[in-house]
Amino acid sequence: MIINRRILTLDEFTIQQLRQFPTATGELSSLLRDIGLAAKRINVEVNKAGLVDILGDAGSVNVQGEDVKKLDIYANNQFMGVLKHGISCAGVGSEELDDVVVFDDEVSNNSKYVVLFDPLDGSSNIDVNISIGTIFGVYRRVSELGKPCTEEDFLQPGVRQVAAGYVVYGSSTMLVYATRRGVNGFTLDPAIGEFCLSHPDIKCPPSGKLYSVNHGNFFQYEEGLRNYINACQRKDKTNGGPYTQRYVGSMVADVHRNLIKGGIFMYPGTIDKPGGKLRLMYECNPFSFMVEVAGGKATDGKQRILDIQPTELHQRTPLFIGSKHMMEELETYYKP
Ligand code: P6P
């Protein structure tokens, strides 16, 4: 008898995971479904960004000092909305908001989690139709349940994330998330409007041949890093190089490709920006959690990203992330 492989939707998958832990409250499963709902709504607008007047600068400038595009605001509001009106989240921190938002209502104050997110990363690529994405990380609160969450709930090291994920709005729209049990990818089926399990138990290949870095900053990188980047381009590579350089300029697209195919993504510090460009709390920590669960590594050049004790919501960090063996090879050239 041929049994059709049953397609599992995100909702079915999270409920199946919940059934394996009867004592679980279901709050995390519910939160992940809420994020999936927001992603579907954002996907609709991203897919028609060139057709309606949602494109273009909203005129305001966000806390990063960047022109905010209307889609950024829309995406931020979608995540705020589903999380505030769900049953699992006490408050959020967003790239688009100067400070954390404490929901401070009875249900939210009794919710176990807080969420940090970049609602639409790489939004400068919207106008040229390059893949963009959403990035999120979920933490269990450390403050007292029943009361409003506090900034301390958000400034936790990335190792304390209970879940992290991203949505890539690309040739297809995928939601990928990790818990400590594994990394799973879901592709949106527009016919039924559901994310369906398409990439179960994602593992980051231990080796790869893709390296991602902005070569335009090459002469601002430290010598050891320049030596590694040069080695990536030489035929004498021990693994039969040279490697292939792939850099989209959209972190979600670059790291997603390297997670699936194997590779290394680097956003180093430069002379002008020694702290790097990428944000620790809602860009680097979520991806570092996911890549480590998938078997890869992530550092700031000196230490594990997930061990960094944050001091500010929007602090930046250099980032080196990807296949385990490639990260170890980098470390033989570059020890800042
Ligand atoms: P650069 C997009 O603005 C972003 O934050 C990441 O998505 C991306 O990896 C990086 O900046 C690209 O920065 O300086 O190379 O253009």
Side-chain angles (χ1 to χ4, degrees):
M1 177 177 71
I2 297 174
I3 299 173
N4 291 328
R5 180 176 172 278
R6 188 160 175 275
I7 298 290
L8 272 184
T9 66
L10 174 65
D11 289 13
E12 290 171 321
F13 182 83
T14 55
I15 290 165
Q16 266 195 10
Q17 296 289 301
L18 180 57
R19 285 169 58 92
Q20 293 177 30
F21 294 92
T23 58
T25 62
E27 281 190 65
L28 182 58
S29 297
S30 172
L31 189 146
L32 291 165
R33 289 195 295 275
D34 291 344
I35 288 173
L37 174 58
K40 286 191 278 191
R41 290 174 174 161
I42 293 165
N43 181 63
V44 170
E45 297 308 322
V46 168
N47 284 346
K48 59 184 183 182
L51 301 176
V52 295
D53 186 32
I54 201 166
L55 193 63
D57 296 356
S60 62
V61 175
N62 71 15
V63 66
Q64 328 296 337
E66 298 160 342
D67 289 344
V68 177
K69 304 229 181 262
K70 289 179 184 173
L71 216 44
D72 280 344
I73 296 175
Y74 177 83
N76 185 69
N77 295 345
Q78 286 304 313
F79 275 98
M80 294 271 291
V82 296
L83 293 172
K84 180 174 176 57
H85 299 106
I87 58 163
S88 316
C89 182
V92 298
S94 168
E95 187 200 26
E96 294 301 335
L97 302 171
D98 297 12
D99 302 307
V100 300
V101 175
V102 177
F103 291 152
D104 194 8
D105 59 70
E106 187 177 352
V107 172
S108 301
N109 289 349
N110 282 289
S111 297
K112 283 196 300 194
Y113 301 109
V114 294
V115 181
L116 286 140
F117 59 84
D118 182 350
L120 211 56
D121 178 72
S123 53
S124 57
N125 292 305
I126 294 171
D127 301 358
V128 291
N129 207 20
I130 288 175
S131 299
I132 53 181
T134 295
I135 313 165
F136 63 90
V138 184
Y139 292 81
R140 187 173 284 104
R141 291 174 59 174
V142 294
S143 59
E144 185 182 342
L145 276 184
K147 294 183 177 176
C149 62
T150 66
E151 188 175 49
E152 187 188 8
D153 292 317
F154 295 90
L155 296 181
Q156 300 185 60
V159 69
R160 293 213 201 121
Q161 291 173 108
V162 294
Y166 60 89
V167 183
V168 51
Y169 309 97
S171 50
S172 64
T173 296
M174 273 191 74
L175 187 153
V176 180
Y177 80 85
T179 63
R180 294 236 170 261
R181 293 165 49 81
V183 186
N184 290 282
F186 301 80
T187 300
L188 183 63
D189 179 347
I192 59 172
E194 293 288 356
F195 281 106
C196 298
L197 183 64
S198 53
H199 297 66
D201 196 22
I202 294 173
K203 297 297 183 192
C204 182
S207 299
K209 299 187 72 116
L210 297 174
Y211 76 99
S212 306
V213 71
N214 183 333
H215 269 266
N217 297 330
F218 180 81
F219 293 107
Q220 288 202 54
Y221 298 148
E222 292 179 56
E223 183 182 5
L225 182 55
R226 295 202 305 274
N227 292 339
Y228 172 68
I229 293 171
N230 285 333
C232 287
Q233 303 169 70
R234 279 200 301 266
K235 279 191 175 303
D236 62 359
K237 294 288 302 163
T238 51
N239 65 352
Y243 295 159
T244 294
Q245 204 265 353
R246 286 285 182 274
Y247 191 74
V248 177
S250 179
M251 179 186 196
V252 175
D254 280 318
V255 181
H256 173 71
R257 180 200 54 244
N258 292 0
L259 173 66
I260 303 295
K261 290 182 175 282
I264 187 169
F265 174 89
M266 300 173 275
Y267 205 104
T270 60
I271 296 167
D272 294 344
K273 296 179 182 174
K277 172 183 181 182
L278 302 179
R279 306 294 177 168
L280 172 64
M281 296 311 295
Y282 41 77
E283 291 175 335
C284 299
N285 269 335
F287 271 115
S288 299
F289 179 85
M290 284 182 276
V291 167
E292 281 202 8
V293 171
K297 288 186 74 174
T299 74
D300 65 357
K302 297 174 184 163
Q303 65 180 311
R304 188 180 174 223
I305 290 287
L306 295 182
D307 289 338
I308 298 173
Q309 175 56 53
T311 54
E312 293 171 27
L313 184 63
H314 299 290
Q315 71 185 70
R316 302 173 193 265
T317 176
L319 175 68
F320 303 87
I321 187 170
S323 295
K324 185 173 180 293
H325 298 162
M326 297 184 82
M327 288 288 293
E328 289 165 350
E329 184 184 42
L330 165 67
E331 288 154 12
T332 66
Y333 287 86
Y334 178 54
K335 294 190 179 72

